[in-house]
Amino acid sequence: MAKNLVIVESPAKAKTIEGFLGKEFLVKSSFGHVMDLSKKNLGVDIENDFVPNYEISTEKKKVVTELKKLASEAEVIWLASDEDREGEAISWHLTNALKLDEAKTKRIVFHEITKNAIQNAIENPRSIDKNLVDAQQARRVLDRLVGFELSPLLWKKVKPALSAGRVQSVAVRLIVEREEEIKNFKTESNFRVTALFNIQNAKGRSKLSAEVPTRFKSKEEALEFIRKCKEAGFSVKSVETKPAKKSPAAPFTTSTLQQEASRKLGYSVANTMRVAQQLYESGKITYMRTDSVNLSNLAMGMAQDEITSLYGENYVQTRKYKTKAKGAQEAHEAIRPTYLNNRDIDGDASQKKLYELIWKRTIASQMSDAILEKTNVTIDVSTAKKDFFAKGEIVKFDGFLKVYMESKDDENADEMAGVLPPVKNGDILNRLEIRGEERFTQHPPRYTEASLVRKMEELGIGRPSTYAPTISTIQKREYVIKEDRDGVNRKYHCIILKDEEIKDELKTEKTGFEKSKLFPTDIGTLVNKFLIQYFDNILDYNFTASVEKEFDEIAGGKKVWNEMIREFYGPFHNQIEDTLEKAKKFSGEKLLGVDPVSGKNIFVKIGRYGPLAQMGETDTDDKPKFAGLKKGQSIETVTLEEVLELFKFPRQVGAYEEEEMTVAIGRFGPYVLHKKKFYSLGKEDDPVDITPERAVEIIEEKRKKEVENTIKEFEQDVKVLKGRFGPYISIKKKNFKIPKDVNPEELTLEECLKIAEDPKNTPKKRYVRKKK
DNA sequence: CAGTGAGCGAGCTTCCGCTTGACTT
């Protein structure tokens, strides 16, 4: 029996550490928090100093039982959860849940998983820092109070099953406000004049491209300048060179890994985390949920060796990076390969790609600066005051650029200047072509998942472990949708001077194309408007920062946690009560126009099931007619014509097999109804003008699929079917799983009925959210 | 998945952070 029980948060970490500690130590994991506020109710006793009602989380009962048993058998229990607010609380909850004897219990912390660090920790135990625990309790209780009082208010005033919280509501706000900025953005155009020159000097003949650094406000101004260029002579007025350097980016944190994997590999935030988890579990990288840019001395040594052997000593420049993130807790190392001499790994393609990215970023972070030389050439135009400029950049020493270059969100923000041909003062240039192109100002970019994470980190909102879940929550609640949008064609003017001729052309370019961007939905916009109107203090971008400051004071022993909560809750709860009383139902109703046939008003608004159109008033005797908006339509942009189309459903499209086919638009999109069965229309089908032939085709397609998915069919209501999770038995629309040792091909009717009777094969009545 | 929408009212939804598998129709 082991004398010592060490408890860490993650099982992968437990495995590693056990190797360092030897036989006397058993290392186990708590799998994160084991206790949390009661899920059934508020979980906080408002009347009684906000005493939290903690429960052992249902999914943690098993591990708690096991740890309790092991703890009772051990002589010393070492609580080795992370050294941050949450980690301290985990240790404290463990002492309570496992009923640990204080005399036998020691709290230890380490920042890196090395033998030295861990042995050092064992030699320097401490006790649980109750102030830090209290800071966590304040954080937890505040989030619960905000979430569980705001959400029910939304159910009453806006729509059921909505949610609000300190983090998610601000994330939605960012996206809604960015969309407003874009809507209000006035595009302006100006003219950019560029030139291509021929240059002949002692060093030979070459080409040089240059541009006028200031833009021309109008076509006339650009044209006037280009006319002058037609008669002008061009010569080099000055050549300036100056040294410059570039430094590598810091090693990855969760947030920067998500951003780079998104830009360079096109991964979603959730995908990045899934793949990183796999790499972590197989021991290939260090922990992937971290806000630290710090590398251990061990890692820096490994990097130094690897860089020396691959590129030579002059490429090594070890560096310690400092975090810039607000509220960083730095309980872990930066994300890096466990062994830096492994340049590639075994694994699937996505693991290999992500690993390579992490390897490059880590190695580059310990490499020399790149030494550059920047050159600016000014070209005089003999007939005009304005000059042309050419910018060049040469790499004198590549340094870290040999391995890795961080990418940017805005691809054309910083165009890499190329290499310039050799030029000197007084060189004469011959113009080949001069162009004046109309350019447009651009609205601020929409957020991607990854750029939203970066913004949240900048505001100190959310933690590495919650970035991905938060982004998924706001999409699940349908506050925000991630999608592509087609661009539109835009005409622009282009003036070209070639030889002695000036041409004015009208060209076309595609603009506004969006790929995997976050757009607010009608519901997101409405909920945000409601929250801003009544709870601007909670939605304030600085709310988290200001409560964090108070949590720090609690952690420092300068404040008592439930007094802080009391000061917050009093006014907050009054706000809730006030809003409950004063705010009317918030539906975002908008009068769109009048139905030309009936003369009734047509409104659009948010209903119980989402955006809808309404014909007629609700407060008259005549019942109004309703129609849900189609997917992709929005209250903001839908037109009267489009809404009138919606009221044409359900419509008959003809008969098939002597029964009517009806097309309508339901909760899950347009469908054909035939013999009481539903057939969803395809993406390319337009329900307005679908032909009877196409409707029949859709019906037949689905029937064919059903046949393909049927393994066996007994009586009409007893079937063995192929599903998403393998074969199953369907009896009168109820589904039953097939035991593993049964071959579904060989099932008989009696066996099926018998399986259906066995209670362990019946589907669990688990609550499943209807929203995807 | 299920094809609604007024109003009535029962009974449901909900937060953030720390961790992974078990399980789904």
Side-chain angles (χ1 to χ4, degrees):
Chain A
M1 188 46 57
K3 282 188 187 153
N4 297 280
L5 174 66
V6 181
I7 304 175
V8 295
E9 292 182 34
S10 141
K13 197 168 167 181
K15 223 170 82 190
T16 315
I17 291 171
E18 198 155 44
F20 295 139
L21 284 172
K23 274 191 179 161
E24 303 279 277
F25 288 83
L26 179 63
V27 187
K28 286 285 174 186
S29 138
S30 73
F31 294 83
H33 275 292
V34 293
M35 295 185 105
D36 192 16
L37 297 177
S38 163
K39 286 209 176 345
K40 292 191 289 285
N41 43 40
L42 191 61
V44 180
D45 191 346
I46 304 289
E47 313 286 296
N48 191 13
D49 284 337
F50 302 93
V51 172
N53 177 17
Y54 291 115
E55 285 175 355
I56 295 173
S57 316
T58 42
E59 72 274 16
K60 298 295 167 55
K61 292 224 160 101
K62 223 173 117 188
V63 69
V64 166
T65 314
E66 192 202 347
L67 289 175
K68 202 170 179 178
K69 180 166 173 283
L70 293 171
S72 68
E73 292 162 356
E75 283 172 26
V76 184
I77 295 100
W78 305 83
L79 297 174
S81 48
D82 297 343
E83 186 178 29
D84 58 16
R85 202 160 65 199
E86 298 297 325
E88 205 66 20
I90 288 175
S91 280
W92 183 65
H93 283 143
L94 280 169
T95 41
N96 297 331
L98 309 181
K99 303 203 165 51
L100 295 180
D101 177 355
E102 216 171 297
K104 282 170 60 180
T105 306
K106 291 176 182 178
R107 166 85 170 118
I108 53 168
V109 291
F110 37 84
H111 301 262
E112 35 178 276
I113 320 261
T114 60
K115 198 167 177 171
N116 269 342
I118 288 153
Q119 280 173 346
N120 194 26
I122 294 272
E123 279 155 31
N124 296 289
R126 56 172 176 84
S127 51
I128 286 176
D129 180 347
K130 193 63 199 331
N131 288 334
L132 196 52
V133 172
D134 283 350
Q136 193 274 347
Q137 299 202 79
R139 198 279 306 155
R140 181 68 191 90
V141 168
L142 179 109
D143 282 338
R144 171 57 69 92
L145 293 174
V146 169
F148 274 40
E149 297 218 351
L150 275 185
S151 301
L153 189 64
L154 291 179
W155 306 341
K156 286 199 187 78
K157 299 294 179 186
V158 186
K159 179 176 169 317
L162 295 176
S163 67
R166 175 177 58 83
V167 173
Q168 59 168 286
S169 296
V170 177
V172 173
R173 176 180 183 181
L174 285 165
I175 292 162
V176 171
E177 288 189 345
R178 177 56 55 85
E179 201 63 28
E180 274 163 19
E181 276 177 65
I182 292 170
K183 213 175 88 187
N184 297 330
F185 187 81
K186 299 264 184 303
T187 304
E188 288 170 3
S189 80
N190 53 38
F191 280 75
R192 172 177 181 238
V193 176
T194 58
L196 185 65
F197 296 109
N198 236 339
I199 177 166
Q200 174 100 42
N201 59 21
K203 303 241 170 131
R205 236 180 118 95
S206 43
K207 286 181 180 165
L208 177 70
S209 49
E211 79 171 89
V212 180
T214 53
R215 298 286 172 91
F216 294 83
K217 284 199 182 68
S218 65
K219 192 172 135 190
E220 288 65 39
E221 281 179 37
L223 197 57
E224 192 193 331
F225 175 74
I226 290 171
R227 282 207 190 99
K228 284 182 184 162
C229 286
K230 193 177 157 194
E231 316 301 334
F234 303 92
S235 61
V236 174
K237 196 173 178 180
S238 75
V239 179
E240 277 173 31
T241 61
K242 53 182 181 205
K245 65 172 191 177
K246 268 202 176 92
S247 301
F252 278 134
T253 60
T254 303
S255 144
T256 53
L257 177 69
Q258 288 170 350
Q259 289 160 46
E260 275 291 84
S262 162
R263 290 183 292 229
K264 284 202 154 114
L265 308 177
Y267 289 6
S268 71
V269 161
N271 191 38
T272 299
M273 293 313 283
R274 185 168 49 242
V275 177
Q277 176 89 29
Q278 292 161 357
L279 292 172
Y280 169 66
E281 282 173 14
S282 54
K284 295 187 180 82
I285 61 167
T286 55
Y287 196 56
M288 65 284 153
R289 289 186 277 264
T290 176
D291 52 19
S292 170
V293 289
N294 188 48
L295 293 179
S296 68
N297 290 330
L298 180 85
M300 285 173 70
M302 282 196 288
Q304 196 169 349
D305 292 347
E306 188 64 14
I307 296 162
T308 309
S309 83
L310 285 173
Y311 312 114
E313 231 167 81
N314 54 336
Y315 277 91
V316 175
Q317 184 179 342
T318 53
R319 306 157 193 260
K320 283 262 179 209
Y321 292 88
K322 280 229 164 66
T323 180
K324 284 178 215 144
K326 215 185 251 181
Q329 310 221 353
E330 306 199 78
H332 305 272
E333 260 190 90
I335 304 170
R336 63 161 172 94
T338 321
Y339 303 105
L340 283 157
N341 52 348
N342 291 344
R343 195 174 182 158
D344 330 282
I345 50 146
D346 295 331
D348 64 31
S350 56
Q351 291 172 358
K352 278 175 190 269
K353 275 197 251 170
L354 192 69
Y355 181 85
E356 192 191 350
L357 193 67
I358 296 169
W359 185 88
K360 284 181 171 174
R361 175 88 165 212
T362 312
I363 288 285
S365 78
Q366 300 302 312
M367 288 176 74
S368 328
D369 290 337
I371 309 292
L372 311 169
E373 189 181 83
K374 288 192 172 173
T375 306
N376 286 321
V377 178
T378 313
I379 297 157
D380 181 65
V381 183
S382 66
T383 54
K385 273 188 189 158
K386 288 196 191 265
D387 295 326
F388 279 98
F389 282 82
K391 269 201 271 184
E393 189 176 280
I394 51 170
V395 176
K396 292 284 210 182
F397 174 67
D398 53 359
F400 78 95
L401 290 178
K402 211 175 191 66
V403 176
Y404 177 88
M405 178 68 191
E406 186 175 35
S407 54
K408 296 219 163 75
D409 279 329
D410 192 356
E411 314 82 44
N412 41 13
D414 182 45
E415 285 171 40
M416 272 285 268
V419 180
L420 290 182
V423 285
K424 61 175 197 323
N425 254 355
D427 277 355
I428 302 297
L429 302 134
N430 296 312
R431 67 170 164 82
L432 290 171
E433 186 181 273
I434 299 202
R435 250 170 203 269
E437 269 187 337
E438 188 176 19
R439 299 285 75 203
F440 300 87
T441 52
Q442 288 194 339
H443 63 69
R446 292 196 170 83
Y447 286 105
T448 62
E449 289 187 349
S451 68
L452 182 65
V453 168
R454 183 178 55 189
K455 185 69 190 178
M456 288 168 65
E457 184 185 39
E458 195 185 305
L459 295 169
I461 294 164
R463 302 280 311 135
S465 66
T466 60
Y467 295 139
T470 301
I471 280 176
S472 125
T473 299
I474 61 177
Q475 293 179 63
K476 241 195 305 197
R477 297 270 177 281
E478 292 176 334
Y479 291 153
V480 161
I481 183 165
K482 180 172 80 171
E483 62 185 9
D484 303 343
R485 295 244 171 125
D486 263 347
V488 291
N489 286 328
R490 172 167 69 189
K491 299 249 189 271
Y492 69 100
H493 291 277
C494 186
I495 310 160
I496 301 167
L497 162 62
K498 204 168 184 181
D499 302 323
E500 295 311 307
E501 197 188 351
I502 295 179
K503 277 192 289 188
D504 185 350
E505 295 179 3
L506 200 57
K507 296 188 169 192
T508 309
E509 63 181 348
K510 193 116 184 190
T511 180
F513 173 76
E514 298 277 23
K515 175 90 188 141
S516 282
K517 293 289 171 61
L518 299 173
F519 295 84
T521 61
D522 284 332
I523 295 167
T525 309
L526 187 67
V527 167
N528 183 251
K529 196 177 162 196
F530 177 86
L531 291 174
I532 296 271
Q533 186 170 328
Y534 296 103
F535 296 91
D536 57 335
N537 51 337
I538 306 293
L539 273 273
D540 192 308
Y541 291 122
N542 288 318
F543 177 64
T544 290
S546 79
V547 290
E548 280 289 342
K549 223 175 181 174
E550 297 193 69
F551 298 152
D552 285 345
E553 286 172 30
I554 295 166
K558 295 190 194 95
K559 217 169 199 166
V560 179
W561 82 267
N562 41 8
E563 282 175 16
M564 180 237 152
I565 293 293
R566 190 193 316 281
E567 280 164 30
F568 166 77
Y569 185 75
F572 173 70
H573 187 70
N574 284 341
Q575 239 176 315
I576 295 272
E577 294 287 334
D578 264 17
T579 312
L580 207 50
E581 194 184 317
K582 286 180 194 148
K584 290 207 185 76
K585 183 100 176 156
F586 220 73
S587 70
E589 185 176 279
K590 188 171 106 179
L591 179 65
L592 199 62
V594 176
D595 175 29
V597 179
S598 66
K600 285 179 177 166
N601 279 338
I602 300 218
F603 304 92
V604 282
K605 65 178 188 183
I606 299 285
R608 204 149 37 114
Y609 307 106
L612 64 88
Q614 176 185 321
M615 188 189 286
E617 317 286 333
T618 48
D619 50 7
T620 58
D621 287 340
D622 252 10
K623 270 188 196 169
K625 267 183 156 178
F626 296 95
L629 295 196
K630 275 195 289 186
K631 221 175 151 194
Q633 289 183 328
S634 117
I635 287 186
E636 293 262 328
T637 57
V638 77
T639 62
L640 181 63
E641 288 70 35
E642 286 165 336
V643 166
L644 290 173
E645 287 293 326
L646 299 173
F647 285 109
K648 292 183 183 162
F649 296 102
R651 58 179 269 268
Q652 318 287 344
V653 282
Y656 179 49
E657 293 169 350
E658 288 159 22
E659 294 226 18
E660 269 302 335
M661 294 185 290
T662 310
V663 169
I665 298 174
R667 174 140 144 67
F668 303 99
Y671 62 91
V672 185
L673 182 63
H674 179 247
K675 292 188 185 173
K676 289 185 182 166
K677 283 184 102 172
F678 297 93
Y679 303 87
S680 287
L681 263 58
K683 251 188 198 159
E684 64 288 348
D685 296 314
D686 189 343
V688 175
D689 53 14
I690 196 148
T691 60
E693 292 75 30
R694 176 63 190 145
V696 169
E697 206 177 300
I698 288 166
I699 292 170
E700 285 303 331
E701 259 173 46
K702 180 149 184 220
R703 285 183 181 171
K704 204 175 128 202
K705 239 190 199 155
E706 265 174 15
V707 171
E708 279 168 8
N709 286 337
T710 306
I711 299 173
K712 273 196 165 181
E713 185 169 355
F714 302 104
E715 299 159 20
Q716 66 230 36
D717 280 334
V718 184
K719 291 176 200 166
V720 183
L721 299 174
K722 245 185 282 180
R724 207 152 45 106
F725 310 108
Y728 64 99
I729 300 169
S730 164
I731 299 175
K732 290 184 189 165
K733 293 201 172 158
K734 272 190 175 170
N735 299 321
F736 304 90
K737 70 179 172 194
I738 300 171
K740 277 184 187 136
D741 51 347
V742 175
N743 183 351
E745 307 275 350
E746 294 166 6
L747 278 169
T748 62
L749 176 59
E750 283 127 40
E751 281 169 335
C752 284
L753 294 174
K754 210 174 129 195
I755 286 170
E757 274 169 26
D758 191 338
K760 74 170 186 279
N761 294 323
T762 51
K764 277 180 192 150
K765 269 280 175 202
R766 211 177 58 141
Y767 176 75
V768 186
R769 279 192 67 84
K770 283 183 181 169
K771 284 167 192 166
K772 281 185 272 183

